[in-house]
Amino acid sequence: MKVTRAIAVRNRENIVDKAGELFRAYGYGGVGVAEIMRAAGLSHGGFYANFDSKEDLIVEASSSAMKGNVDFWRKLRTEGARLQPRQMVERYLKEAYAEANAEGCVMAALGSEIARQGEKVRVPLTEQVKELVEVLAAMMPPGTEGDRRRQSLAAYAGMVGALVLARASTDVVFSQEIIQAVADTI
């Protein structure tokens, strides 16, 4: 059976989505191409019709997931006419913590692994983090452009760090304390 262009595009998007979920859940090295293709409901051989290497898939899946993070903040900023920055941060942290790693923040799930990747992976993600920082800066209290940018950098770093620590903890009460402390200080 011949695969139409529309089906091929949908298959590729499905591979990227499943890879993004599996990478966030198990890490880049914790999941192989065969597992990703199985999760996407496709044959292992179909991978090479879409990607030259696993690294190419890592780039696309991570970038796609990070774009989802940026879109979340853009949407929250749009809704934010009713919310103070602290409330937006608290909402993000509580929603992101409640989500499984596979669905949550890319940097909280894979940040330490991304740091060990080559430039092919790190450069596009760096650009997306910069974009996210700009979105967050627009949500910060009035001040100079530099002040708002520094506040957004500190807020994002604090949120990612809070998620990493809260998810690593085996104590749910302590995890919630971490989330609340960061939300209260941003």
Short mmCIF file of all heavy atoms in Angstrom, two decimals, residues 102-157:
data_model
loop_
_atom_site.label_atom_id
_atom_site.label_comp_id
_atom_site.label_asym_id
_atom_site.label_seq_id
_atom_site.Cartn_x
_atom_site.Cartn_y
_atom_site.Cartn_z
N ALA A 102 7.16 12.57 31.03
CA ALA A 102 7.01 12.41 29.59
C ALA A 102 6.22 13.55 28.96
O ALA A 102 6.32 13.78 27.76
CB ALA A 102 6.34 11.08 29.28
N GLU A 103 5.45 14.26 29.75
CA GLU A 103 4.60 15.31 29.20
C GLU A 103 5.02 16.70 29.65
O GLU A 103 4.47 17.69 29.21
CB GLU A 103 3.15 15.06 29.63
CG GLU A 103 2.62 13.74 29.13
CD GLU A 103 1.39 13.29 29.90
OE1 GLU A 103 0.93 14.01 30.80
OE2 GLU A 103 0.91 12.20 29.60
N GLY A 104 5.98 16.78 30.53
CA GLY A 104 6.29 18.05 31.16
C GLY A 104 7.41 18.83 30.51
O GLY A 104 7.74 18.66 29.33
N CYS A 105 8.01 19.66 31.30
CA CYS A 105 9.06 20.59 30.87
C CYS A 105 10.29 19.85 30.35
O CYS A 105 10.86 19.00 31.04
CB CYS A 105 9.44 21.48 32.05
SG CYS A 105 10.75 22.65 31.67
N VAL A 106 10.70 20.17 29.15
CA VAL A 106 11.85 19.53 28.51
C VAL A 106 13.13 19.78 29.31
O VAL A 106 13.91 18.85 29.54
CB VAL A 106 12.04 20.08 27.08
CG1 VAL A 106 13.29 19.52 26.44
CG2 VAL A 106 10.83 19.79 26.23
N MET A 107 13.34 20.99 29.74
CA MET A 107 14.57 21.31 30.46
C MET A 107 14.62 20.62 31.81
O MET A 107 15.68 20.18 32.25
CB MET A 107 14.75 22.82 30.61
CG MET A 107 15.12 23.50 29.33
SD MET A 107 16.69 22.85 28.70
CE MET A 107 16.61 23.37 27.02
N ALA A 108 13.49 20.53 32.49
CA ALA A 108 13.48 19.84 33.79
C ALA A 108 13.73 18.34 33.60
O ALA A 108 14.38 17.72 34.43
CB ALA A 108 12.15 20.07 34.50
N ALA A 109 13.23 17.78 32.52
CA ALA A 109 13.38 16.34 32.29
C ALA A 109 14.74 16.00 31.68
O ALA A 109 15.31 14.95 32.00
CB ALA A 109 12.27 15.84 31.36
N LEU A 110 15.26 16.84 30.82
CA LEU A 110 16.45 16.48 30.04
C LEU A 110 17.61 17.47 30.12
O LEU A 110 18.62 17.28 29.44
CB LEU A 110 16.06 16.31 28.57
CG LEU A 110 15.13 15.15 28.26
CD1 LEU A 110 14.57 15.27 26.85
CD2 LEU A 110 15.86 13.83 28.44
N GLY A 111 17.49 18.50 30.93
CA GLY A 111 18.51 19.55 30.96
C GLY A 111 19.92 19.04 31.15
O GLY A 111 20.84 19.45 30.43
N SER A 112 20.12 18.13 32.09
CA SER A 112 21.49 17.64 32.32
C SER A 112 21.97 16.79 31.15
O SER A 112 23.17 16.78 30.85
CB SER A 112 21.57 16.84 33.63
OG SER A 112 20.75 15.70 33.57
N GLU A 113 21.07 16.11 30.47
CA GLU A 113 21.47 15.34 29.29
C GLU A 113 21.73 16.26 28.09
O GLU A 113 22.64 16.01 27.32
CB GLU A 113 20.39 14.32 28.92
CG GLU A 113 20.33 13.16 29.90
CD GLU A 113 19.50 12.02 29.38
OE1 GLU A 113 19.72 11.59 28.22
OE2 GLU A 113 18.63 11.57 30.13
N ILE A 114 20.93 17.29 27.96
CA ILE A 114 21.12 18.25 26.87
C ILE A 114 22.51 18.87 26.97
O ILE A 114 23.20 19.05 25.97
CB ILE A 114 20.02 19.33 26.86
CG1 ILE A 114 18.68 18.68 26.49
CG2 ILE A 114 20.36 20.48 25.92
CD1 ILE A 114 17.46 19.55 26.76
N ALA A 115 22.93 19.17 28.19
CA ALA A 115 24.25 19.78 28.40
C ALA A 115 25.38 18.89 27.89
O ALA A 115 26.45 19.39 27.55
CB ALA A 115 24.45 20.07 29.89
N ARG A 116 25.15 17.58 27.80
CA ARG A 116 26.19 16.65 27.33
C ARG A 116 26.06 16.33 25.84
O ARG A 116 26.83 15.53 25.32
CB ARG A 116 26.12 15.36 28.16
CG ARG A 116 26.57 15.56 29.59
CD ARG A 116 26.69 14.26 30.34
NE ARG A 116 25.41 13.68 30.72
CZ ARG A 116 24.74 13.96 31.82
NH1 ARG A 116 25.23 14.84 32.67
NH2 ARG A 116 23.60 13.38 32.09
N GLN A 117 25.10 16.94 25.17
CA GLN A 117 24.91 16.71 23.75
C GLN A 117 25.79 17.67 22.95
O GLN A 117 26.27 18.67 23.46
CB GLN A 117 23.44 16.91 23.36
CG GLN A 117 22.48 15.95 24.02
CD GLN A 117 22.72 14.52 23.61
OE1 GLN A 117 22.81 14.20 22.43
NE2 GLN A 117 22.84 13.63 24.60
N GLY A 118 25.93 17.38 21.67
CA GLY A 118 26.68 18.25 20.78
C GLY A 118 25.88 19.49 20.41
O GLY A 118 24.71 19.65 20.76
N GLU A 119 26.55 20.36 19.67
CA GLU A 119 25.92 21.61 19.27
C GLU A 119 24.67 21.40 18.42
O GLU A 119 23.76 22.22 18.45
CB GLU A 119 26.92 22.50 18.53
CG GLU A 119 27.95 23.11 19.46
CD GLU A 119 28.79 24.17 18.78
OE1 GLU A 119 28.49 24.58 17.65
OE2 GLU A 119 29.78 24.58 19.41
N LYS A 120 24.63 20.34 17.67
CA LYS A 120 23.47 20.07 16.82
C LYS A 120 22.18 20.01 17.65
O LYS A 120 21.12 20.44 17.20
CB LYS A 120 23.67 18.75 16.06
CG LYS A 120 22.62 18.45 15.03
CD LYS A 120 23.00 17.22 14.24
CE LYS A 120 21.99 16.94 13.15
NZ LYS A 120 22.38 15.77 12.36
N VAL A 121 22.28 19.49 18.86
CA VAL A 121 21.13 19.43 19.77
C VAL A 121 21.03 20.72 20.57
O VAL A 121 19.94 21.28 20.72
CB VAL A 121 21.26 18.22 20.73
CG1 VAL A 121 20.17 18.23 21.79
CG2 VAL A 121 21.24 16.90 19.94
N ARG A 122 22.15 21.21 21.08
CA ARG A 122 22.13 22.32 22.03
C ARG A 122 21.80 23.67 21.40
O ARG A 122 21.12 24.49 22.02
CB ARG A 122 23.47 22.39 22.75
CG ARG A 122 23.64 21.19 23.69
CD ARG A 122 24.99 21.10 24.33
NE ARG A 122 25.34 22.32 25.03
CZ ARG A 122 26.59 22.75 25.15
NH1 ARG A 122 27.59 22.07 24.64
NH2 ARG A 122 26.83 23.86 25.81
N VAL A 123 22.25 23.93 20.18
CA VAL A 123 22.03 25.25 19.57
C VAL A 123 20.54 25.56 19.40
O VAL A 123 20.07 26.62 19.85
CB VAL A 123 22.82 25.40 18.25
CG1 VAL A 123 22.36 26.62 17.46
CG2 VAL A 123 24.31 25.48 18.54
N PRO A 124 19.73 24.68 18.79
CA PRO A 124 18.32 25.04 18.64
C PRO A 124 17.59 25.16 19.98
O PRO A 124 16.72 26.02 20.14
CB PRO A 124 17.72 23.92 17.79
CG PRO A 124 18.73 22.84 17.72
CD PRO A 124 20.04 23.42 18.11
N LEU A 125 17.97 24.34 20.96
CA LEU A 125 17.33 24.44 22.26
C LEU A 125 17.73 25.72 22.98
O LEU A 125 16.90 26.34 23.65
CB LEU A 125 17.64 23.20 23.10
CG LEU A 125 16.94 21.93 22.60
CD1 LEU A 125 17.46 20.70 23.32
CD2 LEU A 125 15.43 22.04 22.76
N THR A 126 18.97 26.13 22.81
CA THR A 126 19.41 27.40 23.39
C THR A 126 18.58 28.55 22.83
O THR A 126 18.13 29.43 23.58
CB THR A 126 20.91 27.64 23.11
OG1 THR A 126 21.66 26.60 23.72
CG2 THR A 126 21.36 29.00 23.64
N GLU A 127 18.36 28.53 21.53
CA GLU A 127 17.56 29.59 20.91
C GLU A 127 16.13 29.58 21.43
O GLU A 127 15.53 30.64 21.65
CB GLU A 127 17.59 29.46 19.38
CG GLU A 127 18.97 29.74 18.78
CD GLU A 127 19.56 31.08 19.23
OE1 GLU A 127 18.86 32.11 19.14
OE2 GLU A 127 20.73 31.08 19.68
N GLN A 128 15.58 28.40 21.65
CA GLN A 128 14.21 28.32 22.17
C GLN A 128 14.14 28.77 23.63
O GLN A 128 13.15 29.39 24.03
CB GLN A 128 13.66 26.90 22.00
CG GLN A 128 13.37 26.61 20.54
CD GLN A 128 12.95 25.18 20.33
OE1 GLN A 128 13.65 24.25 20.71
NE2 GLN A 128 11.81 25.00 19.71
N VAL A 129 15.16 28.48 24.41
CA VAL A 129 15.18 28.97 25.79
C VAL A 129 15.26 30.50 25.78
O VAL A 129 14.56 31.16 26.56
CB VAL A 129 16.34 28.35 26.60
CG1 VAL A 129 16.52 29.06 27.95
CG2 VAL A 129 16.10 26.86 26.82
N LYS A 130 16.05 31.06 24.89
CA LYS A 130 16.11 32.52 24.76
C LYS A 130 14.74 33.08 24.41
O LYS A 130 14.34 34.13 24.94
CB LYS A 130 17.14 32.93 23.71
CG LYS A 130 18.57 32.73 24.12
CD LYS A 130 19.51 33.13 22.97
CE LYS A 130 20.95 32.93 23.30
NZ LYS A 130 21.83 33.29 22.15
N GLU A 131 14.05 32.41 23.51
CA GLU A 131 12.69 32.84 23.14
C GLU A 131 11.76 32.79 24.35
O GLU A 131 10.98 33.71 24.59
CB GLU A 131 12.17 31.95 22.01
CG GLU A 131 10.82 32.34 21.47
CD GLU A 131 10.35 31.43 20.34
OE1 GLU A 131 11.10 30.54 19.89
OE2 GLU A 131 9.20 31.62 19.91
N LEU A 132 11.86 31.72 25.11
CA LEU A 132 11.03 31.58 26.31
C LEU A 132 11.35 32.68 27.32
O LEU A 132 10.44 33.26 27.93
CB LEU A 132 11.22 30.20 26.93
CG LEU A 132 10.44 29.92 28.21
CD1 LEU A 132 8.94 30.07 27.98
CD2 LEU A 132 10.76 28.54 28.72
N VAL A 133 12.62 33.00 27.48
CA VAL A 133 13.01 34.07 28.40
C VAL A 133 12.39 35.40 27.97
O VAL A 133 11.94 36.18 28.81
CB VAL A 133 14.56 34.16 28.49
CG1 VAL A 133 15.01 35.47 29.15
CG2 VAL A 133 15.11 32.96 29.25
N GLU A 134 12.33 35.65 26.67
CA GLU A 134 11.69 36.88 26.18
C GLU A 134 10.20 36.90 26.48
O GLU A 134 9.64 37.93 26.86
CB GLU A 134 11.94 37.06 24.68
CG GLU A 134 13.39 37.32 24.34
CD GLU A 134 13.98 38.51 25.08
OE1 GLU A 134 13.33 39.57 25.16
OE2 GLU A 134 15.10 38.37 25.60
N VAL A 135 9.54 35.75 26.32
CA VAL A 135 8.11 35.65 26.65
C VAL A 135 7.92 35.94 28.13
O VAL A 135 7.03 36.69 28.52
CB VAL A 135 7.54 34.27 26.26
CG1 VAL A 135 6.13 34.08 26.79
CG2 VAL A 135 7.57 34.08 24.74
N LEU A 136 8.76 35.33 28.96
CA LEU A 136 8.66 35.54 30.41
C LEU A 136 8.96 36.99 30.78
O LEU A 136 8.33 37.55 31.69
CB LEU A 136 9.60 34.60 31.16
CG LEU A 136 9.23 33.12 31.13
CD1 LEU A 136 10.34 32.30 31.78
CD2 LEU A 136 7.90 32.86 31.81
N ALA A 137 9.93 37.60 30.11
CA ALA A 137 10.29 38.98 30.42
C ALA A 137 9.10 39.91 30.24
O ALA A 137 8.91 40.86 31.02
CB ALA A 137 11.47 39.44 29.56
N ALA A 138 8.27 39.63 29.25
CA ALA A 138 7.08 40.45 29.01
C ALA A 138 6.06 40.31 30.13
O ALA A 138 5.16 41.14 30.26
CB ALA A 138 6.46 40.08 27.66
N MET A 139 6.21 39.27 30.94
CA MET A 139 5.27 39.03 32.03
C MET A 139 5.77 39.59 33.37
O MET A 139 5.04 39.58 34.35
CB MET A 139 5.05 37.52 32.18
CG MET A 139 4.45 36.88 30.94
SD MET A 139 4.62 35.09 30.91
CE MET A 139 3.53 34.61 32.22
N MET A 140 7.00 40.05 33.40
CA MET A 140 7.60 40.51 34.64
C MET A 140 7.08 41.91 35.00
O MET A 140 6.62 42.65 34.14
CB MET A 140 9.12 40.53 34.52
CG MET A 140 9.75 39.16 34.40
SD MET A 140 9.49 38.16 35.88
CE MET A 140 8.84 36.66 35.17
N PRO A 141 7.20 42.27 36.28
CA PRO A 141 6.74 43.59 36.71
C PRO A 141 7.47 44.70 35.96
O PRO A 141 8.57 44.50 35.45
CB PRO A 141 7.10 43.63 38.20
CG PRO A 141 7.29 42.21 38.61
CD PRO A 141 7.74 41.48 37.37
N PRO A 142 6.87 45.87 35.90
CA PRO A 142 7.50 46.99 35.19
C PRO A 142 8.92 47.25 35.70
O PRO A 142 9.22 47.08 36.87
CB PRO A 142 6.59 48.18 35.52
CG PRO A 142 5.27 47.57 35.85
CD PRO A 142 5.59 46.25 36.50
N GLY A 143 9.76 47.65 34.80
CA GLY A 143 11.15 47.96 35.11
C GLY A 143 11.89 48.13 33.80
O GLY A 143 11.29 48.11 32.72
N THR A 144 13.19 48.27 33.88
CA THR A 144 13.96 48.40 32.65
C THR A 144 13.96 47.06 31.91
O THR A 144 13.67 46.00 32.50
CB THR A 144 15.43 48.78 32.95
OG1 THR A 144 16.08 47.68 33.60
CG2 THR A 144 15.51 50.04 33.79
N GLU A 145 14.28 47.11 30.65
CA GLU A 145 14.34 45.89 29.84
C GLU A 145 15.34 44.90 30.45
O GLU A 145 15.07 43.70 30.53
CB GLU A 145 14.73 46.23 28.41
CG GLU A 145 14.67 45.06 27.47
CD GLU A 145 14.98 45.45 26.03
OE1 GLU A 145 14.59 46.56 25.61
OE2 GLU A 145 15.64 44.64 25.35
N GLY A 146 16.48 45.41 30.90
CA GLY A 146 17.49 44.56 31.52
C GLY A 146 17.00 43.93 32.81
O GLY A 146 17.26 42.75 33.07
N ASP A 147 16.28 44.71 33.63
CA ASP A 147 15.73 44.17 34.88
C ASP A 147 14.73 43.06 34.60
O ASP A 147 14.74 42.02 35.25
CB ASP A 147 15.04 45.26 35.69
CG ASP A 147 16.01 46.25 36.31
OD1 ASP A 147 17.21 45.91 36.41
OD2 ASP A 147 15.55 47.35 36.68
N ARG A 148 13.86 43.29 33.63
CA ARG A 148 12.83 42.29 33.30
C ARG A 148 13.47 41.02 32.75
O ARG A 148 13.04 39.92 33.06
CB ARG A 148 11.83 42.90 32.32
CG ARG A 148 10.98 44.00 32.95
CD ARG A 148 10.21 44.80 31.92
NE ARG A 148 9.25 44.01 31.19
CZ ARG A 148 7.95 43.95 31.47
NH1 ARG A 148 7.46 44.64 32.48
NH2 ARG A 148 7.15 43.21 30.75
N ARG A 149 14.51 41.18 31.95
CA ARG A 149 15.21 40.01 31.40
C ARG A 149 15.88 39.21 32.53
O ARG A 149 15.78 37.99 32.58
CB ARG A 149 16.23 40.43 30.36
CG ARG A 149 16.95 39.25 29.72
CD ARG A 149 17.82 39.70 28.56
NE ARG A 149 18.63 38.62 28.06
CZ ARG A 149 18.20 37.67 27.23
NH1 ARG A 149 16.95 37.66 26.81
NH2 ARG A 149 19.01 36.72 26.82
N ARG A 150 16.57 39.91 33.44
CA ARG A 150 17.21 39.21 34.57
C ARG A 150 16.17 38.50 35.43
O ARG A 150 16.39 37.37 35.87
CB ARG A 150 18.03 40.19 35.41
CG ARG A 150 19.40 40.50 34.83
CD ARG A 150 20.25 41.33 35.77
NE ARG A 150 19.71 42.68 35.98
CZ ARG A 150 19.84 43.69 35.12
NH1 ARG A 150 20.48 43.51 33.99
NH2 ARG A 150 19.34 44.87 35.40
N GLN A 151 15.04 39.14 35.66
CA GLN A 151 13.97 38.52 36.44
C GLN A 151 13.45 37.27 35.74
O GLN A 151 13.18 36.25 36.39
CB GLN A 151 12.82 39.50 36.68
CG GLN A 151 13.16 40.60 37.64
CD GLN A 151 12.04 41.63 37.72
OE1 GLN A 151 11.26 41.82 36.78
NE2 GLN A 151 11.96 42.30 38.85
N SER A 152 13.30 37.34 34.42
CA SER A 152 12.77 36.18 33.69
C SER A 152 13.79 35.04 33.68
O SER A 152 13.42 33.87 33.81
CB SER A 152 12.34 36.56 32.27
OG SER A 152 13.45 36.91 31.46
N LEU A 153 15.08 35.37 33.56
CA LEU A 153 16.12 34.33 33.63
C LEU A 153 16.11 33.65 34.99
O LEU A 153 16.17 32.42 35.08
CB LEU A 153 17.50 34.94 33.34
CG LEU A 153 17.80 35.27 31.89
CD1 LEU A 153 19.00 36.20 31.80
CD2 LEU A 153 18.04 34.01 31.09
N ALA A 154 16.04 34.45 36.04
CA ALA A 154 16.02 33.88 37.40
C ALA A 154 14.76 33.06 37.62
O ALA A 154 14.81 31.98 38.23
CB ALA A 154 16.13 35.00 38.43
N ALA A 155 13.63 33.55 37.12
CA ALA A 155 12.38 32.82 37.29
C ALA A 155 12.43 31.48 36.57
O ALA A 155 12.07 30.43 37.15
CB ALA A 155 11.21 33.66 36.76
N TYR A 156 12.90 31.48 35.33
CA TYR A 156 12.95 30.21 34.58
C TYR A 156 13.92 29.24 35.22
O TYR A 156 13.61 28.06 35.40
CB TYR A 156 13.31 30.47 33.11
CG TYR A 156 13.20 29.23 32.26
CD1 TYR A 156 12.00 28.53 32.18
CD2 TYR A 156 14.28 28.75 31.54
CE1 TYR A 156 11.90 27.38 31.42
CE2 TYR A 156 14.19 27.62 30.77
CZ TYR A 156 12.99 26.93 30.71
OH TYR A 156 12.88 25.79 29.95
N ALA A 157 15.11 29.72 35.59
CA ALA A 157 16.09 28.85 36.24
C ALA A 157 15.52 28.30 37.56
O ALA A 157 15.69 27.12 37.86
CB ALA A 157 17.39 29.61 36.49
#
